[in-house]
Amino acid sequence: MTAFKKLLGILLAMIMLFSGVMALAEDVIVSESGEVENPEAIVAGENELIFWSLFSGGEGGYMEGLVEQYNATNPKMTVRNVKLNWGEYYTKLMTAVSVGKGPDIGISHIAKLPELYDQKVVTPLDEYATAMGFDWSQVNQNTLQAATIDGKIYAVPLDTHPEVFFYNKTILRDAGLLNENDELVLPQDAEEFYQFMLDMKSKLPEGIYPLSFSSAGDDPWRIIWAMYHQMDGAPVITSDLEIKLEKDKYVAALEYLKKFYDNGIIPVNLEDFYSYFMNMRGAATFITGVWATSSLENIEGLEFGVQSFPVLFGKNAQWGDSHTFILPVKPDSNAERMTEAMKFFDFVSKNSIVWASAGHVVANVNVLQSEEFAALPYRSDYADVANYVVFFEPNPFSYPIRGAMMQQIDAFLAGNQTAEEAYDNTIAEIEEIIF
Amino acid sequence: MTNKKSIGGILLEIVSILCMVIILIPVVWMIAMSFKTEGQQISNTWQYFTPPYTLQNYVTIFQTSKVLTWMMNSLFVALIVTALVITISTMAAFALAKIRFRYSKFMYFFFLLGLMVPTEATIVPLFVTANRLGLIDTYLGLILPALAGSMNIIIMRAFFMGIPNDLIESATIDGANELHIFLQVILPLGRTVIVTIAIFTFIGNWNSYLWPYLAAMSEDLFTLPLGIPTFIGQYTQDKVLPMTINTIASVPIIIFFIVFEKQIVKGISLSGIKG
Amino acid sequence: MSAKRKRIWRNDLVALVFLLPFTVLYMVFTIYPVIQGLYMSLFKWGLMGKQDFIGADNYTRFLGDKFFWGALWNTTKFVLYSTPTIILMSLGLALLANRRSPLKRLYRAAYFTPNLLSVSVISFLAIYILQPYGMGFISNLLKTLGVQEEIFFLKDPQLVWVSIVGTTAWWTCGYNMMLYISALQDIPDQLYEAAAIDGASPSKQLWSITLPLLKPTTLLILLLQLIASFKVFAQIRLITNGGPGHATRPLIQYIYQAAFEKNRLGYAAAMSYALFLILVVLSLIQLKATREGDR
């Protein structure tokens, strides 16, 4: 027994000694990490900037094209585009930066920026912008303002992307639902819109649904967001971290959306609602972000129209977010690399007509006013939606809160809880997030 | 009597085949889909499996994704981990089983403690620890934590204990030192357990998800289980390319299994008894 | 006397050399994180490092966090559903694949095959097989057979568990089946021969000889399964991502999200200790059981 105690004592001593050594190691390695150049293969070449992006599908191709165009101009440092999975992008970015392994260039949504700032993930751009003569007046000033924290600019606005309403002209024309201009006119009132869609259902051929829409994830959340703000709902959370989400309005928005599934306007539990519209025989209309425009244009035989998501509850308010370029904190970077990165941002901004082709409302005002932009079909149909977009009030928890809202909406739409429960659980989760 | 029995036998044979079909259908479907043309409309289930076939998907995958890099990474990490696990675990198990030293019981107990520490429960501090050591996003970071489990040592020690001491003593009389004994007596006699553990370490690491998911940041360092979801995330509309990459990831390990089938079957029973 | 002392020292030294490589790794990557985790759990700790000392706050907080309990309950549900399913299916497959049959080896290999696939692969297969509206394999098959009704495998709160447990069982049964097969082969043929002479039917033999003799193996599989199931994460994350809502989010995913999506590493470390406690208790039971089994 005493031998056992002795052994236990030795064990404890070993662990303590060991912990001490590890604690020492912490300081040494952290202080050195600024200079140490890791020889591993992941480190970008001397003349290469690593760019982590979250774009997929159609828009991913356009960004890839912009990168190739830039590299073709023989810049001092070329850009290498690494496409990450959208669902994992921020987790990956933040963990990577926290361990000093982040990329040279990143993308941030404007709503996410305060969190990245709060977690010390982003570098201010002012110095490098000045160094290469970046003209800040060329970008959308509202987004730029949102990208400015404590007097410093942390991001270059690239676009605004609202959620819009697409429709299949062929199907609707056959059903006699288009007007003389071959356009769909949506009623701008909640009850009328609902009746309109019900009516559409009765006019469509058997097996075609009026609306293709997801019942989980981002998209339902986005239109709940839009409708809640159309009711003039208070901010979900203020910059002072006060939860202001209004129960009656939020519940009303949730229940309104649910009616569309319950009455066969939207097929329930559709996993892949893009395909369901794109295959031209699943549904007549489709709600999602503007980035789908380019994919739709590439579908042979699809004749479609697009307009803004209707104003159903009085006030024009829309969901939207903005992509921005950021410089993640990187211990082994330097002013030269960052200035080169700014050159890339400048190039993309000036050439963002390509990005507009993907469907986005670009942030570069010169491009937005150009004839080329005006000549693009569809884009002008929704370009002014960007003016009605409601963002989160800047706060470091927007994205986790968005995630919580989405999860509770999912559970509500799947029939696992009532709208009131969804509201209560959302509040409980937000409280858990901001403690 | 015999007649009745054979009817029962035929019935059981049919059930066995049915189970086999149900279990294998997903795998066969996956492989069949990888040869289909993109965008083909499937109107009935049979069409998943019938021609036309194409190899275009494989060309596309190898051209547009880093699947070869991921596969090499998976292979590299799994092989290195396997080699190192075998080396350090046999050494430690040998010391515990056959060298008479003070604290040998204590060390055994100390390693037993490790069986109770699952990576899943210490993933957060492990990440912080690995980060301090500068291991995040390096091959070493993928490899080293995979070597630290004590299960293998416990199994090997039990096996080595069964090697008769007479053999060791006679070797000692012939003037062999511990290194010789280890290399010339223990390793040859422990072949079965070593090969078994090697196979399981390999399969386990080829498929490991949670730790690489946290520890690999750059695409060049991804292993297959990480790369596949990243790649598939970009294709929501068609199953053909995702199924091709799934097939590419699965076929090597299935071939590996066919080659080592006997060892694996034997190995599982071994780990079951001693585990 | 001194020669003996010298030999003891020498042995200690040799043992040290042999043990050192593993012991160092074991200390750094297995033992140290446990201590580090305990330390972290006493702090508000972000991705960028230590912030404030808050004592036991993280612990009291998760004890009152209903999402923690929800996640723990989900994990428990998974354990409760999957363990019996997997044991019964493995046993069934083992009995089928251990009969005298010309296709014996083929059966074994086929039943074991899913076990070889990576978790990413089996998860995507599950999603693709279960998709509704004619897009998934099952839905398509039903349509081909003329059934028009849609089944929402991943949305219905009950069916989603059936889907996850079914996928896991399909994926992992092969391993346990092999354990059963090796136990079946250890049963001496004489027992069956004697029973046959006594006129016992095959089904009687199954109930009175085979199943009782498989009891230790079943106990072993039960414990291994319990431990493995409490760690469930990857396939649920990839198949449902914890949804619909939080209906299937397991504890490890909640811990993971707290740490890497909400930047609360200290809180996550504290919650890990709840899981740790459960796993330690189960491991102790397992150790005790296997030791008794050895006797």
Side-chain angles (χ1 to χ4, degrees):
Chain A
M1 200 58 215
T2 44
F4 183 74
K5 271 185 188 160
K6 211 166 110 193
L7 293 175
L8 214 65
I10 297 169
L11 173 66
L12 274 177
M14 267 163 85
I15 289 174
M16 277 164 72
L17 180 73
F18 190 72
S19 308
V21 172
M22 290 294 289
L24 277 177
E26 170 181 21
D27 297 333
V28 176
I29 287 165
V30 167
S31 66
E32 276 178 356
S33 66
E35 292 92 55
V36 172
E37 273 231 54
N38 285 313
E40 282 75 32
I42 44 93
V43 172
E46 193 87 329
N47 295 317
E48 193 178 45
L49 299 167
I50 298 287
F51 169 29
W52 282 9
S53 66
L54 44 75
F55 306 115
S56 61
E59 54 174 0
Y62 286 95
M63 184 48 80
E64 184 71 37
L66 277 164
V67 170
E68 276 166 22
Q69 263 185 47
Y70 178 71
N71 289 342
T73 64
N74 287 320
K76 192 141 110 212
M77 294 180 188
T78 55
V79 173
R80 183 165 142 206
N81 182 10
V82 179
K83 290 184 207 162
L84 296 184
N85 201 351
W86 153 228
E88 288 161 8
Y89 171 80
Y90 284 118
T91 312
K92 214 69 184 164
L93 177 72
M94 292 170 79
T95 16
V97 169
S98 79
V99 300
K101 298 280 187 178
D104 296 286
I105 299 169
I107 291 283
S108 171
H109 287 89
I110 198 73
K112 180 80 177 181
L113 196 63
E115 182 182 344
L116 297 183
Y117 169 79
D118 198 55
Q119 294 293 321
K120 301 183 180 66
V121 173
V122 284
T123 320
L125 311 175
D126 307 67
E127 184 191 328
Y128 318 110
T130 316
M132 60 81 46
F134 189 87
D135 174 14
W136 287 111
S137 73
Q138 68 180 325
V139 297
N140 181 303
Q141 294 301 303
N142 289 334
T143 324
L144 184 63
Q145 210 180 350
T148 311
I149 307 173
D150 283 345
K152 284 186 174 143
I153 302 172
Y154 284 87
V156 177
L158 176 62
D159 65 46
T160 301
H161 45 272
E163 188 97 338
V164 290
F165 194 98
F166 297 95
Y167 55 96
N168 183 318
K169 284 194 172 177
T170 321
I171 295 177
L172 291 179
R173 195 184 298 123
D174 291 348
L177 288 163
L178 297 184
N179 68 5
E180 57 278 16
N181 296 329
D182 212 27
E183 280 169 352
L184 179 69
V185 180
L186 293 177
Q188 307 285 311
D189 172 86
E191 189 48 36
E192 281 174 35
F193 177 71
Y194 173 66
Q195 288 303 333
F196 178 82
M197 295 305 279
L198 266 186
D199 178 53
M200 182 188 291
K201 184 178 160 64
S202 66
K203 288 181 178 159
L204 291 173
E206 180 75 28
I208 296 187
Y209 279 88
L211 178 58
S212 177
F213 196 58
S214 172
S215 42
D218 281 287
D219 291 273
W221 172 75
R222 289 174 185 146
I223 67 165
I224 292 286
W225 175 274
M227 293 191 294
Y228 172 76
H229 286 97
Q230 290 182 355
M231 296 175 199
D232 209 14
V236 175
I237 187 165
T238 66
S239 291
D240 305 327
L241 301 186
E242 240 182 289
I243 304 170
K244 287 267 182 79
L245 188 67
E246 293 179 65
K247 184 165 190 171
D248 50 341
K249 291 175 182 169
Y250 195 65
V251 166
L254 287 172
E255 282 176 343
Y256 180 73
L257 177 61
K258 187 87 169 11
K259 280 202 296 188
F260 285 71
Y261 299 95
D262 292 346
N263 294 290
I265 295 169
I266 306 173
V268 276
N269 300 326
L270 201 52
E271 307 262 327
D272 189 353
F273 71 109
Y274 271 57
S275 305
Y276 212 69
F277 178 75
M278 289 175 170
N279 66 19
M280 296 179 273
R281 53 191 166 85
T285 70
F286 168 51
I287 300 174
T288 194
V290 292
W291 52 83
T293 309
S294 64
S295 308
L296 295 179
E297 283 173 323
N298 289 331
I299 294 172
E300 222 174 295
L302 174 64
E303 217 189 319
F304 72 99
V306 57
Q307 57 174 291
S308 48
F309 179 71
V311 180
L312 302 175
F313 297 95
K315 186 181 162 191
N316 193 352
Q318 303 284 346
W319 174 87
D321 208 334
S322 288
H323 292 123
T324 66
F325 282 116
I326 52 166
L327 294 179
V329 172
K330 203 169 185 248
D332 56 355
S333 194
N334 54 43
E336 197 201 353
R337 293 183 78 82
M338 304 221 199
T339 310
E340 285 301 313
M342 277 305 296
K343 286 185 188 163
F344 172 66
F345 300 166
D346 189 49
F347 177 88
V348 174
S349 185
K350 290 204 162 82
N351 292 285
S352 55
I353 187 71
V354 177
W355 196 235
S357 307
H360 297 281
V361 180
V362 295
N364 188 305
V365 287
N366 302 328
V367 173
L368 207 56
Q369 284 154 13
S370 68
E371 281 172 22
E372 281 167 293
F373 185 82
L376 286 173
Y378 309 115
R379 277 77 179 171
S380 50
D381 296 338
Y382 56 70
D384 75 309
V385 178
N387 301 326
Y388 298 102
V389 163
V390 183
F391 294 118
F392 268 105
E393 275 198 21
N395 79 82
F397 301 106
S398 303
Y399 262 60
I401 289 173
R402 161 186 162 276
M405 294 170 80
M406 261 197 257
Q407 294 294 328
Q408 297 304 335
I409 293 173
D410 285 4
F412 165 68
L413 292 180
N416 300 352
Q417 61 181 356
T418 66
E420 281 81 11
E421 284 167 344
Y423 173 85
D424 294 342
N425 283 328
T426 305
I427 297 295
E429 256 197 284
I430 297 177
E431 279 167 354
E432 199 53 52
I433 288 165
I434 62 176
F435 78 78
Chain B
M1 179 71 197
T2 26
N3 215 0
K4 212 173 161 190
K5 196 176 157 197
S6 72
I7 288 172
I10 289 168
L11 257 169
L12 282 177
E13 206 70 50
I14 292 171
V15 173
S16 304
I17 291 173
L18 219 65
C19 282
M20 181 165 77
V21 169
I22 291 171
I23 287 174
L24 288 184
I25 270 189
V27 182
V28 175
W29 184 51
M30 166 180 87
I31 298 173
M33 285 285 277
S34 76
F35 293 109
K36 303 297 288 182
T37 336
E38 239 187 309
Q40 193 196 330
Q41 302 287 356
I42 302 285
S43 50
N44 76 57
T45 310
W46 193 238
Q47 287 177 359
Y48 283 126
F49 302 98
T50 51
Y53 301 127
T54 169
L55 283 173
Q56 183 55 39
N57 305 316
Y58 287 86
V59 178
T60 314
I61 294 276
F62 283 113
Q63 274 172 355
T64 60
S65 82
K66 297 205 158 193
V67 66
L68 275 181
T69 314
W70 301 334
M71 209 184 229
M72 290 312 288
N73 283 339
S74 283
L75 194 68
F76 177 73
V77 171
L79 279 178
I80 298 282
V81 167
T82 308
L84 290 175
V85 159
I86 293 304
T87 316
I88 64 174
S89 305
T90 46
M91 283 168 63
F94 165 63
L96 288 179
K98 291 297 174 196
I99 300 179
R100 252 174 250 140
F101 66 106
R102 288 175 284 177
Y103 310 126
S104 83
K105 268 234 166 87
F106 164 74
M107 287 308 283
Y108 177 61
F109 168 72
F110 182 50
F111 290 152
L112 270 181
L113 275 182
L115 292 186
M116 294 169 211
V117 186
T119 344
E120 286 80 0
T122 56
I123 199 81
V124 176
L126 180 63
F127 179 81
V128 172
T129 308
N131 180 26
R132 264 182 210 166
L133 298 172
L135 292 174
I136 298 299
D137 206 30
T138 65
Y139 283 111
L140 267 186
L142 294 180
I143 292 165
L144 292 181
L147 306 177
S150 52
M151 176 68 120
N152 297 327
I153 297 209
I154 308 295
I155 295 174
M156 284 193 194
R157 173 187 167 274
F159 195 92
F160 291 169
M161 296 277 270
I163 295 174
N165 280 330
D166 306 1
L167 290 172
I168 294 171
E169 272 155 30
S170 65
T172 318
I173 290 164
D174 291 347
N177 63 21
E178 279 84 354
L179 187 65
H180 281 121
I181 294 171
F182 175 62
L183 293 176
Q184 286 162 6
V185 180
I186 300 292
L187 289 190
L189 289 175
R191 242 182 4 247
T192 335
V193 72
I194 292 171
V195 172
T196 304
I197 287 181
I199 289 169
F200 280 101
T201 310
F202 184 84
I203 296 183
N205 281 281
W206 172 268
N207 285 338
S208 111
Y209 179 77
L210 182 58
W211 177 247
Y213 180 73
L214 285 172
M217 294 293 165
S218 47
E219 213 186 3
D220 290 345
L221 208 71
F222 280 5
T223 53
L224 276 175
L226 302 183
I228 290 172
T230 312
F231 180 81
I232 294 180
Q234 302 174 10
Y235 293 87
T236 46
Q237 287 151 37
D238 212 333
K239 294 187 186 68
V240 161
L241 286 175
M243 285 307 211
T244 312
I245 200 164
N246 281 338
T247 306
I248 294 172
S250 308
V251 165
I253 197 86
I254 292 177
I255 292 173
F256 179 86
F257 171 65
I258 292 169
V259 173
F260 289 102
E261 188 232 49
K262 266 202 170 146
Q263 281 295 343
I264 291 175
V265 175
K266 209 195 255 174
I268 291 173
S269 53
L270 200 68
S271 77
I273 292 159
K274 299 295 191 303
Chain C
M1 184 68 201
S2 106
K4 195 182 168 196
R5 250 210 128 83
K6 219 171 141 190
R7 216 187 64 223
I8 291 173
W9 273 106
R10 193 186 157 277
N11 275 358
D12 283 359
L13 198 71
V14 173
L16 181 74
V17 171
F18 275 95
L19 283 170
L20 197 63
F22 177 75
T23 311
V24 169
L25 289 166
Y26 177 71
M27 296 279 274
V28 178
F29 297 109
T30 301
I31 300 299
Y32 180 73
V34 178
I35 301 151
Q36 168 78 20
L38 204 58
Y39 179 71
M40 286 173 74
S41 70
L42 304 176
F43 288 85
K44 191 167 186 222
W45 193 298
L47 266 178
M48 292 300 174
K50 196 158 58 178
Q51 289 164 349
D52 303 302
F53 180 79
I54 51 170
D57 275 15
N58 281 327
Y59 290 90
T60 49
R61 184 147 200 113
F62 85 65
L63 290 174
D65 176 355
K66 71 173 192 173
F67 298 103
F68 166 81
W69 292 107
L72 182 57
W73 175 231
N74 284 339
T75 298
T76 314
K77 265 194 203 164
F78 176 81
V79 172
L80 292 178
Y81 298 154
S82 71
T83 311
T85 313
I86 290 177
I87 289 180
L88 286 177
M89 279 177 62
S90 315
L91 179 61
L93 292 179
L95 292 172
L96 285 178
N98 199 47
R99 289 173 313 112
R100 217 165 290 148
S101 157
L103 298 174
K104 192 158 128 181
R105 272 188 77 180
L106 182 68
Y107 292 147
R108 282 180 196 183
Y111 298 165
F112 188 73
T113 302
N115 219 274
L116 299 165
L117 305 180
S118 152
V119 64
S120 323
V121 174
I122 63 110
S123 303
F124 280 110
L125 280 177
I127 293 173
Y128 288 162
I129 285 170
L130 301 173
Q131 272 178 346
Y133 296 105
M135 293 172 179
F137 186 85
I138 293 182
S139 171
N140 195 292
L141 187 65
L142 290 178
K143 287 234 153 40
T144 306
L145 299 175
V147 183
Q148 283 308 319
E149 210 174 328
E150 293 296 345
I151 306 173
F152 301 114
F153 286 102
L154 298 178
K155 292 296 170 187
D156 182 277
Q158 268 80 47
L159 277 181
V160 70
W161 281 113
V162 174
S163 309
I164 289 175
V165 170
T167 307
T168 310
W170 169 71
W171 183 37
T172 58
C173 267
Y175 185 85
N176 297 317
M177 172 198 75
M178 293 286 195
L179 291 181
Y180 270 126
I181 287 180
S182 75
L184 284 171
Q185 288 171 341
D186 286 346
I187 300 176
D189 287 340
Q190 292 96 306
L191 284 179
Y192 293 111
E193 282 158 18
I197 290 166
D198 291 347
S201 67
S203 68
K204 183 110 193 291
Q205 290 177 20
L206 176 72
W207 288 104
S208 59
I209 302 175
T210 316
L211 293 184
L213 284 174
L214 286 179
K215 224 174 111 189
T217 313
T218 306
L219 189 68
L220 175 84
I221 295 178
L222 175 74
L223 286 162
L224 287 177
Q225 271 307 314
L226 284 177
I227 294 172
S229 304
F230 265 107
K231 301 184 199 169
V232 68
F233 168 64
Q235 70 265 41
I236 295 187
R237 192 197 135 78
L238 289 167
I239 296 174
T240 66
N241 200 15
H246 296 314
T248 57
R249 177 170 66 181
L251 184 55
I252 290 188
Q253 190 181 353
Y254 189 55
I255 292 173
Y256 171 84
Q257 286 175 332
F260 299 104
E261 285 172 17
K262 297 179 190 157
N263 313 316
R264 293 189 200 290
L265 275 68
Y267 189 48
M271 288 191 289
S272 303
Y273 276 89
L275 178 66
F276 191 46
L277 191 73
I278 295 168
L279 291 170
V280 165
V281 170
L282 285 173
S283 308
L284 284 175
I285 296 173
Q286 191 214 352
L287 273 180
K288 201 165 172 286
T290 40
R291 212 167 277 168
E292 266 162 20
D294 279 355
R295 259 174 225 156

